[in-house]
Amino acid sequence: APLTQLLAHLVAGEGDPQAGTMTECFDCDNCKESLYGRKYIQMDNGPYCIPCYDAHFANTCDECKELIGHDCRVSRGRLAGQGGSRGDGSPPHPGCSPQELYYEDRHYHEHCFRCFRCDRSLADEPFTCQGEELLCNDCYCSEFSSKCVACEKTVMPGSRKLEYNGQTWHEHCFICSSCQQPIGSRSFIPDKKDYYCVPCYESKFAPRCTRCKKTLTKGGVTYRDEPWHKECFVCTGCKTPLAGQQFTSQDDNPYCVKCFGNLYAKKCSACTKPITGFGGGKYVSFEDRHWHHNCFNCARCNTSLVGKGFIPDNEEILCRDCSSDL
């Protein structure tokens, strides 16, 4: 219960300024004993002698389970992690009487407010509550905080850290295995037990394009067991991108179907178009001439001569029936 008035001394007949205004009867509101000449505490509902106040309003220490007497003024504002034991957050003055400390709904004698592990006083120290236990920062960190993988020191609560794959680093300890610079919030690439910033990893491990010699960070195509950027893998003739398209090669250089046909493919003696063989296309050769399957027809009756006998007549190819009419 909050105190509305500090302890007061009433000594009858000694010229007390309140004596002339007080009624003859000035008794404890609980035990009804006279308070003249005695210490008392004024509550909202009346004055109480010290024993009655302690019995009805004093808090019980959460540690020793004994009453916290009236002579221990409550220290307000003592929350987890704050220092000081006075109401204004500063340490007690030398010679001051012990104080009542509290955290959440628990109250303590000042000498009972101690770390549950090392028994160190928490009256002027930061502390943390772990379950029902109050721990000093050193004990809490030793038991519950992570240790940095790099320096093996405790990662203090509230400090900047990085966690990856179940491990913890101080932010300044998580550095690139190549350039030794802190990676911080930048992207990184793990490689076994090493960690690299993206520029170092690309420089050290990433494949390089056969054409432009720059690193491939994503995608790309492989031609003749060599890596290429998609935009770099183009037809040697017309420079059209070949990724995802049909292509062939000549002297190890890639060509699209059209360029290869125009530059290197045999020409059909009938339609004069290139014979590329793409799409399952077949062709017929005779001496130094070539035809698409569907172009190898009798020059007179247009009958297909594929798989049949034929008679050459100068530049023409004739079926046997048409040649017999000559």
Side-chain angles (χ1 to χ4, degrees), residues 270 291 295-305 310-311 313 315-319 322-323:
W291 294 264
C295 293
F296 190 57
N297 301 324
C298 175
R300 300 290 175 83
C301 68
N302 207 36
T303 299
S304 174
L305 298 178
F310 61 89
I311 304 296
D313 182 31
E315 295 298 319
E316 295 181 339
I317 300 295
L318 304 176
C319 66
C322 290
S323 66

Side-chain angles (χ1 to χ4, degrees), residues 223 234-240 242 245-268 272-279 281 283 292:
Y223 171 63
V234 297
C235 172
T236 305
C238 65
K239 308 306 178 185
T240 298
L242 297 177
Q245 306 296 321
Q246 285 187 324
F247 69 92
T248 187
S249 63
Q250 181 70 26
D251 298 328
D252 293 337
N253 295 316
Y255 288 88
C256 66
V257 174
K258 184 177 179 180
C259 286
F260 179 82
N262 291 334
L263 295 172
Y264 302 105
K266 300 176 176 66
K267 303 299 189 293
C268 177
T272 69
K273 293 181 179 179
I275 301 173
T276 61
F278 287 99
Y283 65 96
H292 295 107

Side-chain angles (χ1 to χ4, degrees), residues 8 22 47 52 61 74-75 80 129 151 157 180 188 234 244 259 278 287 323:
M22 296 174 62
C52 287
C61 177
V74 176
S75 176
C129 183
C151 68
Q180 301 298 305
F188 66 91
V234 297
C259 286
F278 287 99
E287 295 180 346
S323 66

